[in-house]
Amino acid sequence: MAFIVAIDGPAGTGKGTVTERISKKKKLLNIDTGATYRCVTLAMQRKNIQLDELEKIKKLLDQIDINMENQNGTQRFFLDGEDVSEEIRSKEVTKMVSQVSSIKEVRIKMVDLQRKLAEGKDVIMEGRDIGTYVFPKADVKIYLDADEEERARRRVKQNQEKGINMSYEEVLENIRKRDENDKNKEMGALKVAEDATVIDTTNLTIDEVVKKVEELIEQKKTKIKKEEKLEKVAYYERKETRWKKIVRGTIKGFLAGLYHIAFHVKVTGKVPDEGAYIICANHINYLDAAAIILLNKRKVRFVAKEDLYRFGILAWLGHLFDIIPIKRNKQDLESMKRCIKALKNGELLGIFPEGTRKGLAKNQKVKNGAAFMALRTNTKVIPVGIHGKFKFRSKIYINYGEPLDFSEWKDKANDKEVMEEVSKKIMDQIIQLSEKE
Ligand code: DC
């Protein structure tokens, strides 16, 4: 998977320098998106096209070819094959570029180009709307800021180095105008992405900023590695062998014994000896899942957050009891596939419709996962009501209800309203059963 670092912020915050340094150090392709807007501006100026000549601009956009090459670590920009890397920094282009970049048609075309330049690569991209629009799912989002006087001073110095002669007042005025325009654009306005880290560079040296950004990149890479490792562990399927069955049987017996010592468990109702069913219970404590797994003759395969597999012993038990991992907050097709496969194999699937350990609150909206599975696979649901305090030697009631048949809606697994109705029916039963002693 490509790794994307987005660096946004107003002019003169050090974006360019920081991006260039990080790109070399971290071997990320550097893409200066401002340069793409500068190329369009230059092309317009060369053809004498004014800002309000939209038809001409559209035609120009269809004709011009903007490209980028990385030469010895520095990026060069080409307009119709000609290297314009220096020319696009001219005073004339700088004055007009913000307005050009406000034209919707220009933005659509340039964003498309920027995404293409980055396709499949590890990149660091600087601009104004990278984290908010071009790559809203960027791995690292940074917003560099600094007060305007400091930014103007930096720009004057930079200009002098490049042989561009502009007074401090002129640069400051230009920065103010551009900021105003960039922040109020109809499309791609300069703003801080919700999940961006803001770094105020006013009193920081470039080295300090580079260090901070590097740290954020490293943190993210470590997190990605950890998640990949977790995924590998969680989604590894340990084959069912005779030995696994023996170990599971022994551990189950032992833990069930401990369970009976710790609590007075009273079970009513039961699970049929054969066939696929979805067991749906209320979820007050991790110990309720344990009760259903340990105190059942048959193997119940619960669906649990993949985080369970973060901890060695729990990961081991998870594999032993064939717990099906599921990712939080996103659609997990692999997990769904495993649930369907288990039900097709005639196994018991355990799902907590409440999703988390919220405890039971009447009429609270529940997740539709159990309802979806029931309709998708046309499987009956066994509601279970659990109550008790899970304190040493206290009474725990586990009440199994009669299987609920939803086959009349079996083709409606994608109908949200039907699923909500089915979820509600399941929860109503669970609530009733959890009040029974
Ligand atoms: O970063 P720069 O000064 O080269 O950018 C030139 C102009 O382009 C600037 O006024 C803002 C605009 N721009 C933009 O609107 N969106 C981007 N992603 C990058 C630059």
Side-chain angles (χ1 to χ4, degrees), residues 56-69:
K56 283 192 185 169
I57 295 173
K58 282 203 236 169
K59 203 163 149 212
L60 179 79
L61 287 170
D62 284 338
Q63 287 168 350
I64 53 169
D65 173 51
I66 300 171
N67 216 334
M68 194 197 89
E69 254 180 43

Side-chain angles (χ1 to χ4, degrees), residues 4-8 125-138 140-142 191-196:
I4 297 173
V5 180
I7 311 269
D8 288 305
M125 199 179 244
E126 62 149 308
R128 305 291 190 281
D129 58 343
I130 312 305
T132 52
Y133 189 73
V134 184
F135 284 114
K137 287 192 180 154
V140 179
K141 292 186 190 177
I142 288 153
K191 59 174 184 246
V192 187
E194 260 175 38
D195 46 353

Side-chain angles (χ1 to χ4, degrees), residues 69-76 78 83:
E69 254 180 43
N70 218 296
Q71 293 177 358
N72 306 323
T74 47
Q75 29 174 7
R76 309 294 300 175
F78 297 85
D83 187 340

Side-chain angles (χ1 to χ4, degrees), residues 181-333:
N181 196 31
D182 288 344
K183 284 180 180 158
N184 294 305
K185 270 176 203 158
E186 184 195 336
M187 189 185 167
L190 171 66
K191 59 174 184 246
V192 187
E194 260 175 38
D195 46 353
T197 305
V198 179
I199 303 177
D200 186 342
T201 71
T202 312
N203 300 310
L204 296 179
T205 63
I206 288 289
D207 281 345
E208 286 168 329
V209 182
V210 168
K211 193 163 167 256
K212 277 194 182 201
V213 176
E214 270 189 294
E215 275 167 14
L216 290 167
I217 292 175
E218 279 317 305
Q219 272 169 21
K220 182 65 189 204
K221 284 194 168 165
T222 311
K223 196 170 163 213
I224 291 176
K225 264 195 207 138
K226 264 195 192 158
E227 271 163 20
E228 281 170 358
K229 200 173 144 209
L230 172 65
E231 173 149 357
K232 242 192 193 161
V233 173
Y235 288 78
Y236 163 75
E237 276 183 297
R238 209 169 131 189
K239 269 203 196 111
E240 186 74 332
T241 57
R242 206 168 69 92
W243 182 235
K244 185 176 161 187
K245 274 190 199 162
I246 294 171
V247 176
R248 185 170 58 233
T250 315
I251 299 269
K252 197 170 155 181
F254 174 69
L255 293 177
L258 284 185
Y259 212 94
H260 281 296
I261 294 173
F263 311 111
H264 287 292
V265 189
K266 189 169 172 238
V267 181
T268 64
K270 71 185 274 280
V271 175
D273 291 336
E274 268 178 15
Y277 291 92
I278 300 170
I279 298 182
C280 287
N282 56 314
H283 197 15
I284 30 181
N285 195 303
Y286 281 121
L287 289 166
D288 46 33
I292 293 177
I293 295 175
L294 301 174
L295 310 180
N296 245 303
K297 262 204 303 204
R298 294 178 62 188
K299 181 172 82 179
V300 183
R301 298 187 61 183
F302 260 97
V303 180
K305 284 179 294 191
E306 70 173 337
D307 301 64
L308 171 94
Y309 284 89
R310 275 188 208 284
F311 314 101
I313 181 78
L314 290 180
W316 184 78
L317 286 170
H319 285 134
L320 190 65
F321 286 89
D322 293 324
I323 303 252
I324 298 175
I326 191 161
K327 291 194 193 330
R328 271 190 295 185
N329 309 327
K330 54 176 136 169
Q331 224 193 17
D332 188 340
L333 293 178

Side-chain angles (χ1 to χ4, degrees), residues 371 375 409 412-413 415-424:
L375 302 190
W409 290 304
K412 298 263 165 67
D415 187 327
K416 204 163 167 252
E417 261 175 47
V418 172
M419 282 208 291
E420 276 174 12
E421 180 64 24
V422 170
S423 293
K424 194 174 171 310

Side-chain angles (χ1 to χ4, degrees), residues 15 33-34 37-38 89 97-98 101 107 127-130 178 182 185:
K15 290 194 309 285
T33 59
Y37 294 102
R38 286 175 180 267
R89 308 282 160 198
V97 62
S98 179
S101 70
R107 290 210 81 81
R128 305 291 190 281
D129 58 343
I130 312 305
R178 276 214 284 163
D182 288 344
K185 270 176 203 158

